[in-house]
Amino acid sequence: NVTFTHANPGGVRTPLADNLPFWARIPAKALMALGVGTTPGDCAEYMLHGMLGTERGWRCVSTKGEAVKNKQPGQEEMIKKVWDHTEAM
């Protein structure tokens, strides 16, 4: 009865760019000023949509919280490691 969701929020307009080196901070801030990326509120809504109403098992969700189709699971060994860790917790 466990669900694992891997989400890709994409670019989100947060103060994170303030801590980047200057050569990355300037382009990041310029892109955010141009409206590239989503607001934190919209991102939260998309990610919440992606987590709710999921079937049991695992899935990947896009920047808009929609299920990514045709996504192949990881290697069986890694899947087992994640599951073993989850059971131990």
Side-chain angles (χ1 to χ4, degrees), residues 58-60 70-79:
W58 71 276
R59 73 182 206 153
C60 296
N70 301 323
K71 184 76 176 169
Q72 296 298 317
Q75 300 169 343
E76 286 298 321
E77 178 183 334
M78 293 307 294
I79 292 170

Side-chain angles (χ1 to χ4, degrees), residues 15-30:
L16 179 67
D18 295 341
N19 298 320
L20 294 174
F22 77 95
W23 52 267
R25 181 174 49 239
I26 293 169
K29 287 190 164 269

Side-chain angles (χ1 to χ4, degrees), residues 1-2 4 6 9 12 16-18 22 24 29 33 39 44 46 51 56 59-60 63 68 70 72 75 84 89:
N1 294 331
V2 176
F4 294 91
H6 176 80
V12 182
L16 179 67
D18 295 341
F22 77 95
K29 287 190 164 269
T39 65
Y46 295 144
M51 292 187 312
R56 290 182 207 134
R59 73 182 206 153
C60 296
T63 58
V68 175
N70 301 323
Q72 296 298 317
Q75 300 169 343
D84 289 345
M89 297 304 290

